[in-house]
Amino acid sequence: MAQAKRPRLSSNGSDASSLPLFCGFELTEKKVISLPASLGPVSAVSAWPTGKAGHFTADSTADKHAVFAVGTSHGCIALVYSDEYTVVLENSGSSAVLQLLAKDSSAPASAISDAKPVPDVVAGDADGQVLVYVLGRVFSRNTLPAPISTLSADLNPNMPSSFSVGDMSGTIASCHAQDTLWRAQLDMGSQALPVVPGGADQRAAARLLDPTVNSACSVWLSDNHGLLTSYVLAASARGFIQLLSRGIPVHTIPLSTPCTSVCPGVFVASDISRELPGSSYTQAIVGDGSGQLLVLDNFELVPYAQVEYPIARIFSLPLRAFVGHDGPDVVVCATLSDTIYVLHQRKIVATYSAAFWPSAVDIVADFPGIGPAIVLVEPEALAGKSSSSSLHIISLRPLLDG
């Protein structure tokens, strides 16, 4: 006898709750950090402590430092602190850095200095190398078949030091600093791919042959028995997303437009309490090249919102980062333009237009003296400088109704 599924989310209307109502956010540029000219053009950035759902803690910046790992097209990797102090981890001369991930340190507590914090840094480059830095030094190197296209932290509390990595050949892997846990190839079969009409643009058809893993994240989903299981959600440029458990595909969803970014969290009302283990990321938000945002819940996609420009990156900030208690996460959406969107409960609540197209974007949980913030990398050419990029810190201040 078939077992009852957990109730599916409604795709209509706003979520009714007694939470404070946001009438918007005030986004203001608060600080510009000019990077050393020796680093070269910045191609990737990752902030620590992270502000992403599932990672935020009230005392996460008790040491009063925010740290930015930056990577450049010259192969340089550095840590830039909120007071503009800079430590170079890798000098120029290596392959271009394409992806970065700053994580809580995996070093033994006895080895961690009381001076400036040094997060672990995972870097993926154009040669397919994945380098892990612990305490500022190279700890391990792994290689994938193609240039690295995505890096994301594993949100499974039982595997706090692991991460997911994907490349441009369709390879997706789960790793930690010491080893590769599993490796798989995204493939759903050509017969299941979205059909391109005979008269369609040939470039659109060619894009569906691109095996690149555009984005990946870990997420907890509930089975028929209400038990939460950890999965890796991977988005392929071929036009589908796939859920994997220990490297084995368990569910595949074809898409009309290839997904460009995925992000875990809780975005609409759910019957799973955040008090359950892993429940702060029991959903994922999916964005695509048409500007559409969807929420994955209970293995199904429901509409969330539509923005004007193609989506480049999606981030989530827990509501308690702003109002001190839980609720649907705040969504920060970077696009292939100069526009950043902030959304909450299916509504666009703020937009920010930069004076440039960022070459990289991230969020930080609590920038000292500013609070939750968006980090935009201004390319050196647009900054009017011959050899220096800069980090723009944009504050996020909620405007509460009444």
Side-chain angles (χ1 to χ4, degrees):
M1 182 175 67
Q3 297 178 345
K5 295 177 70 176
R6 183 164 63 86
R8 183 176 181 272
L9 293 175
S10 168
S11 61
N12 299 317
S14 299
D15 303 312
S17 73
S18 58
L19 298 174
L21 298 177
F22 289 99
C23 57
F25 276 85
E26 182 179 64
L27 276 65
T28 308
E29 183 178 287
K30 293 291 189 177
K31 185 178 179 68
V32 177
I33 300 175
S34 294
L35 302 179
S38 59
L39 296 182
V42 173
S43 53
V45 65
S46 182
W48 182 89
T50 179
K52 301 167 184 65
H55 280 173
F56 182 86
T57 56
D59 60 350
S60 60
T61 52
D63 51 19
K64 303 304 180 186
H65 285 290
V67 189
F68 305 100
V70 297
T72 74
S73 58
H74 294 168
C76 187
I77 301 171
L79 293 177
V80 180
Y81 290 79
S82 49
D83 60 4
E84 305 193 29
Y85 177 75
T86 301
V87 177
V88 176
L89 306 183
E90 189 81 32
N91 289 312
S92 300
S94 303
S95 296
V97 178
L98 302 181
Q99 299 290 328
L100 279 176
L101 176 65
K103 305 165 61 265
D104 292 343
S105 179
S106 59
S110 59
I112 299 176
S113 169
D114 291 332
K116 291 182 181 293
V118 181
D120 286 1
V121 176
V122 184
D125 68 20
D127 286 339
Q129 284 196 103
V130 180
L131 297 90
V132 179
Y133 296 82
V134 177
L135 297 179
R137 298 182 179 180
V138 175
F139 184 84
S140 66
R141 296 175 188 261
N142 288 298
T143 303
L144 266 62
I148 304 304
S149 55
T150 183
L151 283 171
S152 63
D154 192 335
L155 301 183
N156 186 337
N158 299 316
M159 305 172 67
S161 64
S162 62
F163 56 91
S164 298
V165 54
D167 73 7
M168 294 183 182
S169 74
T171 300
I172 181 76
S174 179
C175 308
H176 55 67
Q178 294 83 7
D179 201 1
T180 298
L181 302 174
W182 55 258
R183 183 181 293 194
Q185 192 74 21
L186 292 188
D187 187 12
M188 64 179 292
S190 59
Q191 72 279 5
L193 289 172
V195 177
V196 178
D201 187 342
Q202 292 301 311
R203 288 175 298 178
R207 281 196 295 270
L208 295 180
L209 301 178
D210 181 1
T212 297
V213 182
N214 281 341
S215 186
C217 71
S218 70
V219 63
W220 286 67
L221 296 177
S222 174
D223 63 15
N224 290 338
H225 304 284
L227 299 176
L228 292 173
T229 302
S230 177
Y231 299 92
V232 169
L233 174 63
S236 171
R238 297 182 69 194
F240 64 90
I241 56 177
Q242 197 161 70
L243 287 155
L244 302 98
S245 177
R246 298 182 180 179
I248 299 175
V250 296
H251 189 60
T252 303
I253 304 175
L255 303 171
S256 59
T257 304
C259 170
T260 53
S261 184
V262 295
C263 177
V266 173
F267 305 100
V268 289
S270 175
D271 57 349
I272 291 183
S273 167
R274 278 180 176 268
E275 296 178 359
L276 294 175
S279 61
S280 58
Y281 30 89
T282 53
Q283 298 169 358
I285 195 161
V286 176
D288 64 27
S290 71
Q292 180 178 214
L293 292 163
L294 305 165
V295 169
L296 176 72
D297 179 84
N298 197 29
F299 298 94
E300 298 182 38
L301 292 172
V302 295
Y304 184 80
Q306 178 75 42
V307 299
E308 184 177 356
Y309 301 104
I311 293 166
R313 291 287 305 275
I314 307 172
F315 308 94
S316 62
L317 280 161
L319 186 66
R320 64 183 177 275
F322 301 101
V323 297
H325 58 76
D326 290 328
D329 293 328
V330 175
V331 177
V332 176
C333 181
T335 65
L336 295 178
S337 73
D338 61 354
T339 302
I340 306 292
Y341 293 92
V342 181
L343 304 96
H344 187 245
Q345 298 198 101
R346 295 194 174 100
K347 296 180 179 179
I348 297 173
V349 294
T351 60
Y352 179 83
S353 294
F356 53 90
W357 283 30
S359 59
V361 182
D362 204 358
I363 55 175
V364 60
D366 190 358
F367 193 95
I370 294 176
I374 304 169
V375 185
L376 307 179
V377 176
E378 182 179 9
E380 58 185 33
L382 297 179
K385 304 170 185 177
S386 59
S387 57
S388 177
S389 301
S390 57
L391 305 179
H392 293 248
I393 311 302
I394 314 300
S395 68
L396 276 161
R397 188 176 72 87
L399 304 175
L400 302 181
D401 194 9

